[in-house]
């Protein structure tokens, strides 16, 4: 699918951002990205708001079918839009390297919690 290929250019930036900003900084930037793309009246990313604001992410050349596919792929609750959590999950899912790194972050955090709890 052409949209996924074009998204691939964007997804490769997420691990770089994570390395540069750290976990919390990356989440903050993803939240900022969500704010840029969302429909201000509804508080979610709709097909229309994504189309209107896609140039902010360099996705202005994507067609309606590709943008609609992105929304459908990330829409976990089936309401036809992306809430903030769905958007962040989608961004992580589109970056295999970031998914691997987040697994490592989770394991490290769990180990630290267990150590602090005396296990």
């Amino acid at each position: 699918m052409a949209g996924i290929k074009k998204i691939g250019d964007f997804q490769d930036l997420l691990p770089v951002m994570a390395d540069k900003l750290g976990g919390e900084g990356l989440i903050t930037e993803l939240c900022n990205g969500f704010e840029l793309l969302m429909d201000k009246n509804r508080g979610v990313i709709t097909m229309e708001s994504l189309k209107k604001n896609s140039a902010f992410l360099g996705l202005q050349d994507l067609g309606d079918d590709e943008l609609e596919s992105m929304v459908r792929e990330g829409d976990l609750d089936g309401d036809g839009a992306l809430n903030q959590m769905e958007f962040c999950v989608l961004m992580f899912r589109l970056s295999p390297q970031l998914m691997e790194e987040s697994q490592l972050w989770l394991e490290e955090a769990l180990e630290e919690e267990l150590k602090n709890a005396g296990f």
Side-chain angles (χ1 to χ4, degrees):
M1 171 182 272
I4 299 302
K5 181 168 181 14
K6 290 179 184 177
I7 293 168
D9 295 338
F10 172 74
Q11 79 185 29
D12 291 338
L13 296 177
L14 291 177
V16 173
M17 289 173 62
D19 287 342
K20 189 171 185 173
L21 302 172
E24 285 185 39
L26 176 62
I27 295 299
T28 298
E29 286 304 310
L30 286 175
C31 291
N32 290 340
F34 175 82
E35 296 283 327
L36 285 174
L37 296 172
M38 77 174 188
D39 177 311
K40 305 301 184 228
N41 294 323
R42 294 184 54 200
V44 295
I45 296 173
T46 63
M47 167 60 184
E48 295 77 23
S49 70
L50 185 59
K51 184 176 180 177
K52 178 181 171 188
N53 300 312
S54 62
F56 289 124
L57 296 179
L59 302 175
Q60 65 274 7
D61 295 331
L62 293 181
D64 287 358
D65 58 333
E66 295 163 321
L67 295 173
E68 190 173 315
S69 177
M70 288 175 61
V71 172
R72 253 195 328 268
E73 184 175 342
D75 182 16
L76 301 175
D77 61 11
D79 66 353
L82 301 177
N83 61 37
Q84 192 172 48
M85 188 254 336
E86 289 171 327
F87 174 75
C88 290
V89 168
L90 178 63
M91 293 296 99
F92 272 77
R93 283 182 36 219
L94 291 176
S95 178
Q97 182 181 348
L98 196 56
M99 285 293 290
E100 289 174 17
E101 290 177 11
S102 63
Q103 176 75 27
L104 293 174
W105 295 336
L106 179 60
E107 289 172 5
E108 289 173 5
L110 288 173
E111 285 178 19
E112 187 67 28
E113 287 295 318
L114 289 172
K115 189 187 315 179
N116 290 340
F119 289 100

